[in-house]
Amino acid sequence: MPYHQFKCSECIPERLKHAVDKGAGEELTDALPLGYLNTIPGTISERGCAYCGAKHVIGTPMKDAIHLSHGPVGCTYDTWQTKRYISDTGCFQLKYTFASDMKEAHVVFGAEKMLKKNIVEAFKAFPNIKRMTIYQTCASALIGDDINAIAEEVMSELPDVKIFVCNSPGFAGPSQSGGHHKINLAWLTQMVGTVEPKIYSKYVINYVGEYNIQGDQEIMKDYFHRMGIQILSSFTGNGRFDDLCGMHRAQLNVLECARSAEYICDELRARYGIPRMDIDGFGFEALSDSLLKIGYFFGIEDRARAIIAEETARWKPELDWYAARLKGIKVCLWPGGSKLWHWAHSIHKEMGVEVVSVYTKFGHQGDMEKGISRCESGALAIDDPNELEALEAMYSLKPDIIFTGKRPGEVAKKIRIPYLNAHAYHNGPYKGYEGWVRFARDIYNAVYSPIHKLSFIDISKDEIPADKGFATQQTYSDAGLPDAVKNDENLRKCTSKYDPIPDLREKTYSFPDPDTEKWRVIPNEELSRKNSGTE
């Protein structure tokens, strides 16, 4: 069997089946680690909990709601936005976090009265916000506080507010993925169908499993709008509470992150007959295929092809500049959720990097199947690794860079391996054609950083070379390149703006009227009003 035995985990024999080495010619059945199981005691897992998966990942990217945790303040503070879930309305969801701040006395005597008081206080503190989501934690679940009853009581007293309750305490699943499932189904059951949305285009989608990290959603929204497609709701990045209540009127659910949001897509199909289409916004080829699929569904593939041709001509020379200099770079692909398999093949095929390891903290068997099948032979695949296993893997694999979250990323830096934040990005957005070039640029900058090269010198004992002269990233990256590549005038470095999002927010788009089918121009500002139901 291809199981990988970590020396640091020899004392925990159950961990053996959670890591495999992908051998040449092996089938997935020969190289699939166990996944999405309860954490083994003693392994010091770095997983998040089900509450975290519900609130931090799915809930709080909604931009126009108060997000209140009913539990100790540490729970909500731990899930305050470390991801850059930006919005086009001032990022209210990033600036504030709310908690009922349960104490020991509330565990003994109950906290329902305090919760009601806090809900009312929150609405008074922000009178322009009329929507709220409340998240159950372990503490409030264990004592049996009836959050739904309190929410109904407040809504009867304040008829202009609407409250959604998510009962997903930390112990509700093996990892944060359990929380994804619970909030998906809770939203569908409680909220979908309670608002009738305004339809202004012949083509209407829900954009699902997209959280607008540094503007990802707005990049993709630009492509959809250029095709004449109305985004009825975005689940949940840059999404409005009331828009998400009208998901039942879409013609197609376009799903990006299947790990976090396939549940609501499947139920929308079962209950309302809305088909699901999985897409991928990362990588030129995958994105082009995705836009074409959507185009074929609506019969507007010509508009998709025009976007693909325009964007490819604009950005491919820049991607190729980096690909020539990243070829052979070894990477540990240790992100969260669907990026495990969204990125594995694209970064190898389009940037030339070699994936030497993949892992997931909370992925299911399906995530591992897709991730392992798309990476190279010899790669080490790990389910739910702890810090010691990650260190051992990095020492043995000697990657040039890792793509991961902040906690394992900071560990990597201690042993002089650069990392890119795969969860919240370094200088994103990374979706779209331009975004993929930004990603390649960030990889290049990290791998060839002169400061990183200096980190290998121990100033306490090593002699500092004084004959090296001035060095740049390109000094290192171009050292072994043939002159034909170095002097290729068709290739160029990334020319993307530091923040490309503001320009997108100023654009206007044309949409086919659902009744007359005549195309008409709608400015972005007017689109915003239409989507919010204020027009």
Side-chain angles (χ1 to χ4, degrees):
M1 293 296 289
Y3 293 126
H4 182 93
Q5 177 66 71
F6 285 102
K7 292 181 179 179
C8 63
S9 296
E10 288 178 348
C11 58
I12 310 174
E14 298 94 330
R15 282 296 299 163
L16 176 63
K17 295 186 178 181
H18 289 263
V20 300
D21 292 300
K22 180 181 179 181
E26 288 181 333
E27 301 292 333
L28 283 175
T29 52
D30 300 318
L32 192 63
L34 299 180
Y36 196 59
L37 299 175
N38 289 333
T39 301
I40 300 169
T43 59
I44 319 177
S45 172
E46 294 182 345
R47 279 172 164 174
C49 65
Y51 154 81
C52 174
K55 177 181 182 289
H56 181 49
V57 177
I58 307 290
T60 43
M62 277 190 277
K63 61 188 176 185
D64 61 343
I66 292 169
H67 300 279
L68 190 152
S69 298
H70 184 36
V73 71
C75 293
T76 194
Y77 188 80
D78 185 60
T79 55
W80 196 359
Q81 298 306 346
T82 54
K83 291 188 180 180
R84 298 162 183 165
Y85 295 137
I86 66 172
S87 74
D88 55 10
T89 54
C91 297
F92 174 81
Q93 78 284 1
L94 291 178
K95 295 175 182 177
Y96 303 98
T97 190
F98 301 82
S100 60
D101 192 20
M102 286 181 64
K103 306 290 188 185
E104 289 89 342
H106 300 120
V107 174
V108 176
F109 298 107
E112 292 182 352
K113 291 182 179 179
M114 178 192 65
L115 174 61
K116 180 180 178 181
K117 179 173 178 288
N118 287 348
I119 295 171
V120 174
E121 283 182 356
F123 279 125
K124 286 183 177 179
F126 296 92
N128 294 327
I129 305 295
K130 302 297 183 183
R131 301 293 181 259
M132 176 182 286
T133 59
I134 304 177
Y135 304 90
Q136 187 184 50
T137 64
C138 292
S140 54
L142 285 169
I143 64 174
D145 277 354
D146 193 339
I147 301 175
N148 295 75
I150 299 299
E152 291 293 336
E153 191 175 324
V154 172
M155 286 190 287
S156 66
E157 297 174 7
L158 303 174
D160 60 336
V161 307
K162 188 180 289 187
I163 301 173
F164 164 66
V165 177
C166 179
N167 292 305
S168 179
F171 54 75
S175 69
Q176 57 263 50
S177 185
H180 303 159
H181 196 167
K182 287 189 174 296
I183 193 171
N184 273 232
L185 298 187
W187 185 267
L188 181 66
T189 301
Q190 294 180 41
M191 309 309 301
V192 172
T194 61
V195 168
E196 283 301 319
K198 297 183 181 298
I199 306 298
Y200 56 81
S201 176
K202 181 182 177 182
Y203 316 118
V204 186
I205 67 170
N206 291 317
Y207 188 21
V208 184
E210 166 49 53
Y211 306 105
N212 203 35
I213 300 173
Q214 270 195 284
D216 273 348
Q217 183 261 4
E218 295 175 75
I219 292 287
M220 298 296 290
K221 180 174 71 173
D222 174 61
Y223 301 145
F224 297 148
H225 282 178
R226 284 157 67 181
M227 292 169 68
I229 296 171
Q230 175 185 354
I231 302 176
L232 192 63
S233 69
S234 180
F235 189 89
T236 55
N238 201 32
R240 288 186 174 86
F241 189 105
D242 284 1
D243 291 347
L244 287 157
C245 295
M247 297 178 76
H248 60 298
R249 294 305 184 196
Q251 299 163 345
L252 175 67
N253 288 315
V254 173
L255 176 62
E256 186 84 47
C257 178
R259 175 44 45 234
S260 65
E262 66 176 349
Y263 317 102
I264 195 167
C265 281
D266 290 345
E267 282 301 308
L268 283 167
R269 178 171 55 192
R271 300 186 194 188
Y272 297 99
I274 306 172
R276 159 185 166 179
M277 180 181 290
D278 290 31
I279 69 162
D280 187 347
F282 297 109
F284 279 47
E285 182 177 330
L287 174 57
S288 297
D289 289 345
S290 297
L291 294 179
L292 273 175
K293 283 199 302 183
I294 298 170
Y296 282 127
F297 180 87
F298 289 115
I300 50 174
E301 60 270 21
D302 56 329
R303 300 182 73 88
R305 291 185 190 280
I307 294 171
I308 294 166
E310 178 184 345
E311 295 292 324
T312 301
R314 169 68 179 85
W315 297 107
K316 189 64 161 58
E318 300 183 12
L319 179 66
D320 289 344
W321 190 95
Y322 291 102
R325 290 157 176 83
L326 293 175
K327 187 175 182 180
I329 292 297
K330 294 192 298 182
V331 59
C332 287
L333 182 56
W334 294 349
S338 61
K339 292 188 185 75
L340 168 71
W341 37 273
H342 277 321
W343 288 0
H345 59 309
S346 292
I347 58 177
H348 177 64
K349 184 174 182 179
E350 299 184 1
M351 299 182 193
V353 303
E354 304 291 333
V355 178
V356 296
S357 180
V358 292
Y359 89 15
T360 176
K361 295 284 186 187
F362 55 86
H364 297 208
Q365 295 299 100
D367 299 299
M368 275 295 187
E369 288 176 5
K370 288 181 278 189
I372 293 173
S373 68
R374 295 176 181 183
C375 65
E376 295 81 70
S377 295
L380 170 60
I382 323 167
D383 167 69
D384 188 24
N386 56 48
E387 185 175 308
L388 291 176
E389 290 176 342
L391 277 169
E392 187 176 319
M394 285 186 282
Y395 278 127
S396 63
L397 297 171
K398 295 180 173 57
D400 297 294
I401 189 170
I402 69 171
F403 306 153
T404 189
K406 292 180 68 176
R407 283 176 293 185
E410 294 302 316
V411 173
K413 286 199 295 187
K414 291 179 180 179
I415 61 172
R416 300 175 176 85
I417 296 175
Y419 93 99
L420 286 186
N421 194 328
H423 297 170
Y425 302 165
H426 267 70
N427 300 287
Y430 287 161
K431 279 184 182 170
Y433 299 92
E434 178 180 358
W436 200 237
V437 173
R438 293 166 71 91
F439 185 32
R441 177 203 59 194
D442 281 2
I443 300 170
Y444 173 85
N445 288 343
V447 170
Y448 293 113
S449 167
I451 296 297
H452 171 62
K453 301 295 183 183
L454 289 173
S455 71
F456 290 93
I457 299 174
D458 186 342
I459 60 174
S460 67
K461 61 180 182 179
D462 295 339
E463 182 177 349
I464 299 176
D467 59 342
K468 296 297 183 182
F470 182 74
T472 66
Q473 290 158 323
Q474 203 161 340
T475 303
Y476 296 116
S477 68
D478 289 10
L481 286 180
D483 290 339
V485 175
K486 288 190 286 187
N487 301 323
D488 191 336
E489 295 182 356
N490 295 318
L491 308 183
R492 60 180 181 268
K493 287 185 177 182
C494 178
T495 58
S496 176
K497 288 186 176 181
Y498 174 74
D499 183 1
I501 303 303
D503 288 346
L504 294 179
R505 294 175 180 172
E506 299 298 322
K507 293 180 69 172
T508 59
Y509 300 92
S510 297
F511 297 89
D513 185 274
D515 298 318
T516 66
E517 297 191 15
K518 291 183 178 180
W519 289 76
R520 56 201 175 103
V521 174
I522 303 179
N524 217 337
E525 181 182 351
E526 187 179 342
L527 279 179
S528 182
R529 292 198 304 271
K530 288 179 180 293
N531 288 343
S532 66
T534 58
E535 181 175 291

